[in-house]
Amino acid sequence: IDIGVAKAWDTSTGSTDVIVAIIDTGIRYTHQDLDGQMWTNPGEIPENGVDDDNDGYIDNVHGIDAVNNDGDPMDDNSHGTHCAGTIGAGANNGHAHVGVAWKVQLMACKFLSGDGWGYTSGAIECIDFAVDNGAKVLSNSWGGGGFSQGLYDSIARARDVGVIFVAAAGNSGEDTDSSPHYPSAYDLENIIAVAAIDRNGQMASWSNYGQTTVDLGAPGVDIFSSVADSDSSYA
């Protein structure tokens, strides 16, 4: 069981007009399979120590870090880099991996620390930044905590300008119709909640599910992608 992407590539390999924000642990933006795929902030001059675009972040060339409140979203966990590679690792470049979208701009929006924790306020900060800077798809492979009106409102604002919010269904093996998992279970039309399946088409034992709160399943077990250990590391 896979996503049939080789056939899809005959129709489209993506577009560099599309910005996908990875709202996660950051991205190792120097990775050999990602460095050519990164979104670059047109209003910022790199490494000059100045907030050129007056958005509150200095030298935020590839995104933001809401954990450390700065403009450097370098990944110190690997989760975000792994997600970024799955979405948009470069194609036909002699390296070990390729993303679903060969042509894309990857925006790094970090709100999860190296230990994998973060605040809802950081998630909101990342969503708002991504939407304000032209991202059309937001990748959210995270969840936890109760209902947050602030987070709901932020995702609703994204919806109002046509932004898709892709969210992990969660890893607790629960029915999210009766035990809501956020943000995937918010009742908003732009949320695509994704459960995990394995190569045999079976749902992963740990994946959440839900007749109304989960939209689809996609491969999520033993996925090969880039990681943040070095500029040439994969796992």
Side-chain angles (χ1 to χ4, degrees):
I1 297 291
D2 57 35
I3 63 172
V5 73
K7 188 174 182 180
W9 285 332
D10 291 336
T11 300
S12 174
T13 55
S15 170
T16 53
D17 293 333
V18 177
I19 301 169
V20 178
I22 291 80
I23 299 174
D24 210 288
T25 63
I27 298 175
R28 187 178 180 98
Y29 46 79
T30 55
H31 194 284
Q32 62 185 9
D33 251 331
L34 302 175
D35 59 352
Q37 309 290 89
M38 296 301 301
W39 170 78
T40 299
N41 184 349
E44 200 70 28
I45 299 170
E47 300 180 12
N48 69 346
V50 177
D51 179 11
D52 300 290
D53 56 4
N54 297 308
D55 65 355
Y57 304 97
I58 295 171
D59 293 337
N60 57 315
V61 177
H62 297 305
I64 60 169
D65 179 351
V67 178
N68 299 298
N69 296 309
D70 62 39
D72 183 10
M74 180 57 82
D75 188 2
D76 52 0
N77 174 281
S78 278
H79 190 271
T81 299
H82 196 272
C83 292
T86 301
I87 292 165
N92 301 321
N93 55 8
H95 300 314
H97 186 35
V98 61
V100 172
W102 300 2
K103 300 169 186 171
V104 69
Q105 294 184 60
L106 302 172
M107 178 189 287
C109 295
K110 176 177 179 173
F111 87 101
L112 296 171
S113 71
D115 296 326
W117 61 267
Y119 294 105
T120 301
S121 58
I124 293 169
E125 183 178 349
C126 284
I127 293 166
D128 292 348
F129 176 87
V131 171
D132 289 345
N133 285 276
K136 291 302 180 187
V137 181
L138 312 182
S139 171
N140 300 273
S141 188
W142 52 273
F147 181 95
S148 163
Q149 189 64 52
L151 182 54
Y152 177 98
D153 291 345
S154 182
I155 301 169
R157 284 194 298 272
R159 172 201 61 189
D160 293 343
V161 292
V163 176
I164 295 171
F165 188 94
V166 183
N171 299 346
S172 303
E174 295 182 338
D175 183 346
T176 54
D177 289 354
S178 55
S179 300
H181 169 272
Y182 299 110
S184 64
Y186 288 124
D187 187 15
L188 289 165
E189 302 92 326
N190 61 327
I191 294 177
I192 301 174
V194 186
I197 61 173
D198 64 20
R199 68 189 63 204
N200 299 312
Q202 302 299 310
M203 194 169 66
S205 60
W206 38 261
S207 179
N208 288 348
Y209 54 94
Q211 185 69 37
T212 61
T213 50
V214 175
D215 299 299
L216 54 87
V221 180
D222 296 331
I223 303 299
F224 179 87
S225 188
S226 46
V227 289
D229 298 331
S230 75
D231 290 343
S232 58
S233 56
Y234 302 87

